[in-house]
Amino acid sequence: MLLDVGEGSLGQLASLYEGPTLWEVLISLSAIWISHPHADHHLGLMKVLAARRQAAADLGLLGGKPPPMLIMAPRPVLAWLREHRSWDATVEWGEAVEGDRGGGEGLMKENYLVDMERMSPFAYQYLERELDLLNLTNVGVHHCPFAFGVVLDGRAGWRLVYSGDTRPCRRLEQAGRGATVLIHEATFGNEKAAEAVERKHSTVGEALDVARRMEAKTVILTHFSQRYPKFPVLPPDYELQVCVAFDLMTLRFKDVGRAAALLPALQKLFPVEEEASDEQILMSQIEGK
Ligand SMILES: [Zn+2]
Ligand SMILES: [Zn+2]
């Protein structure tokens, strides 16, 4: 399952998995969940879908089609996908609608669109069967219209919470109580508290406070502003298991504690730098760094 699929998602997967393994990983994807309509969270979707189809053809799957996948998204993203469907016949689309139990045309298409505000019983049954998920709870968060976080409960007993983009959100704290792992955005450093309010994101300190109130066992911070080129500054007194996400980071649930213990070493590898100026950020984007 992918939680959000930003522009470089396929490239990141291709960096992690080579050749046939990449194809197998793509074919084994059962669901994609998209948090909100901002482009940095869904612009990589079509490339992933096209690569899945290519993988199915190369692996000689029946009919050259990948197995069905759910795409759970807020309504504006679904509207965009339906528009796309009307002119692109290279990818197959179905609708997982309320009341649909997977009968009839059930599970014959490559991709099923699911309105995350009206999850059908069919979608829940599918998630349980394919991903061993006992529950998936979409939670409205404070960022933009149609912005969501998610709480995933696995049969093995873990609870994973992902904030999407948001200000600190009580609803998410309550829905995700006792999370095994909380993945929370921390766009800004603590000194940018006013900017975080204005742009409806969280600071590092606010993300840690959410984790504390949620009683999360581990928090993984992510979605850092480009103004923090290497590593966010953590307050000296945090008492949680904290990990800092970076590109291609791979973690198993059982290793999360060990990853948190690596934090001091990572901080030494990426010493705090002067804040990058707007000009430096622009130059690094132009140079593709
Ligand atoms: Zn956003
Ligand atoms: Zn974002």
Side-chain angles (χ1 to χ4, degrees):
M1 178 173 189
L2 291 179
L3 299 177
D4 278 335
V5 55
E7 193 168 14
S9 297
L10 182 64
Q12 297 257 321
L13 286 171
S15 302
L16 265 181
Y17 305 105
E18 284 179 19
T21 315
L22 173 63
W23 277 175
E24 281 156 25
V25 166
L26 286 169
I27 289 296
S28 71
L29 269 181
S30 305
I32 292 180
W33 182 93
I34 294 172
S35 62
H36 66 292
H38 288 164
D40 58 323
H41 294 256
H42 63 76
L43 221 53
L45 178 63
M46 298 316 297
K47 270 196 176 160
V48 168
L49 298 188
R52 268 186 108 234
R53 181 158 264 243
Q54 185 64 48
D58 284 5
L59 293 174
L61 298 194
L62 193 64
K65 283 198 319 191
M69 181 169 72
L70 294 191
I71 300 172
M72 291 164 275
R75 260 177 286 156
V77 176
L78 292 180
W80 170 68
L81 288 172
R82 289 186 183 114
E83 174 73 27
H84 187 96
R85 175 175 64 180
S86 66
W87 56 265
D88 180 0
T90 59
V91 175
E92 272 188 354
W93 304 92
E95 301 270 346
V97 294
E98 208 162 16
D100 186 348
R101 293 179 186 281
E105 65 159 4
L107 296 186
M108 296 302 287
K109 302 272 171 54
E110 287 169 45
N111 302 293
Y112 282 85
L113 301 182
V114 183
D115 181 345
M116 55 170 50
E117 290 178 278
R118 297 167 64 220
M119 294 273 292
S120 68
F122 156 61
Y124 285 113
Q125 285 162 13
Y126 176 86
L127 291 169
E128 185 175 353
R129 191 177 66 235
E130 296 295 321
L131 290 167
D132 259 356
L133 279 184
L134 289 185
N135 206 3
L136 178 151
T137 311
N138 296 307
V139 183
V141 294
H142 309 304
H143 179 59
C144 65
F146 299 99
F148 293 86
V150 69
V151 180
L152 302 170
D153 289 301
R155 191 189 302 281
W158 50 260
R159 166 170 280 187
L160 177 74
V161 182
Y162 170 51
S163 69
D165 286 3
T166 185
R167 294 285 304 138
C169 175
R170 294 275 172 193
R171 265 197 306 261
L172 190 69
E173 286 168 18
Q174 279 159 11
R177 190 152 300 285
T180 317
V181 175
L182 163 65
I183 303 170
H184 203 287
E185 74 122 294
T187 304
F188 294 108
N190 292 346
E191 72 286 0
K192 290 273 163 65
E195 203 170 339
V197 172
E198 188 188 328
R199 296 171 66 176
K200 296 200 166 64
H201 283 290
S202 299
T203 65
V204 169
E206 285 170 336
L208 296 181
D209 286 343
V210 169
R212 225 170 269 129
R213 288 192 293 264
M214 189 183 280
E215 295 171 23
K217 296 188 178 57
T218 300
V219 56
I220 300 177
L221 302 177
T222 189
H223 199 276
F224 307 115
S225 161
Q226 283 183 305
R227 288 173 188 280
Y228 299 90
K230 291 280 166 75
F231 214 81
V233 180
L234 298 172
D237 57 343
Y238 68 91
E239 75 272 3
L240 285 154
Q241 292 210 97
V242 181
C243 302
V244 173
F246 49 84
D247 284 353
L248 308 182
M249 180 187 200
T250 310
L251 271 183
R252 288 172 294 197
F253 272 113
K254 66 185 175 71
D255 294 333
V256 165
R258 270 189 266 178
L262 284 176
L263 196 62
L266 283 170
Q267 276 168 321
K268 286 219 165 65
L269 269 178
F270 300 104
V272 178
E273 291 189 348
E274 295 272 304
E275 187 178 301
S277 68
D278 286 337
E279 205 175 331
Q280 284 169 322
I281 291 170
L282 189 64
M283 284 311 292
S284 69
Q285 283 169 344
I286 290 169
E287 290 162 13
K289 284 181 190 163

